[in-house]
Amino acid sequence: MENQTNKTIYWSLLTHEDWNLYIAATSKGLCYVGSPNQPVVELISWAGNRFPGSSLVEEAAFLQPYAKELIEYFQGERTSFTISFDFQGTAFQMAVWKALSDIPYGETQSYSDIAHAIQKPASVRAVGAAIGANPILITIPCHRVIGKNGALTGYRGGLDMKVKLLQLERGE
């Protein structure tokens, strides 16, 4: 894993309807989408853990291309993202996040489906933990993962956000 220290992380607050989300990017791409209506402490804590020693710089202009694509998604005008990303995790997390990115817009899969997709069918709990560690909500679509029985399971952004995102993608 490449050295994640001493990067500059640019951040901004993205507001859409009743959601306020902190978003952040490095020079390489989007690295964080926060939970709705959470204080900036969530971002600061995440950055301190994932990018120790990095500086956080509020810079709305730098985040504008990322904010634009997220707003287009929220407005139902975008079904996929063309922005660049900068996220690191363990090899297992990266495999899970790639599998999440392969779930088509408007569709859902179970934790078990993801475990099979990464060829680790016995790793359903570990898949759940990796999904929970996804730093980039929405753009790495962990909201598209549901329980085997169709139940909406936990989501870092909260179940209200998960329901809204799934409804948006189904055109409801």
Side-chain angles (χ1 to χ4, degrees):
M1 196 181 325
E2 74 176 90
N3 184 1
Q4 293 302 304
T5 59
N6 302 323
K7 283 190 173 194
T8 298
I9 301 172
Y10 302 95
W11 66 273
S12 180
L13 181 63
L14 170 74
T15 300
H16 176 73
E17 294 178 359
D18 56 349
W19 288 344
N20 292 300
L21 308 167
Y22 285 100
I23 61 174
T26 66
S27 58
K28 290 184 178 177
L30 188 69
C31 64
Y32 179 83
V33 175
S35 307
N37 306 320
Q38 291 298 306
V40 72
V41 155
E42 183 190 50
L43 166 62
I44 294 167
S45 170
W46 172 84
N49 288 332
R50 298 300 308 194
F51 295 90
S54 296
S55 52
L56 281 167
V57 177
E58 185 173 7
E59 184 58 67
F62 187 87
L63 273 297
Q64 205 283 327
Y66 306 104
K68 179 179 182 288
E69 288 203 9
L70 283 160
I71 299 260
E72 289 168 353
Y73 168 86
F74 290 142
Q75 293 173 338
E77 299 164 4
R78 172 174 293 280
T79 60
S80 63
F81 295 92
T82 61
I83 50 180
S84 58
F85 296 99
D86 181 7
F87 58 95
Q88 274 81 28
T90 65
F92 184 84
Q93 287 172 327
M94 297 295 279
V96 169
W97 298 339
K98 162 119 183 38
L100 296 178
S101 298
D102 292 341
I103 303 172
Y105 181 90
E107 295 182 21
T108 56
Q109 292 185 2
S110 70
Y111 293 90
S112 176
D113 293 334
I114 301 296
H116 281 88
I118 64 166
Q119 300 174 347
K120 304 244 188 235
S123 299
V124 175
R125 282 180 188 260
V127 163
I131 290 171
N134 171 20
I136 314 175
L137 293 181
I138 303 157
T139 51
I140 297 177
C142 51
H143 60 276
R144 296 181 189 152
V145 180
I146 59 175
K148 207 175 206 173
N149 60 0
L152 295 182
T153 51
Y155 181 61
R156 179 168 61 88
L159 287 183
D160 179 56
M161 182 183 207
K162 186 170 188 162
V163 167
K164 285 183 179 173
L165 295 174
L166 292 173
Q167 287 173 337
L168 169 74
E169 292 190 6
R170 289 194 300 256
E172 294 175 11

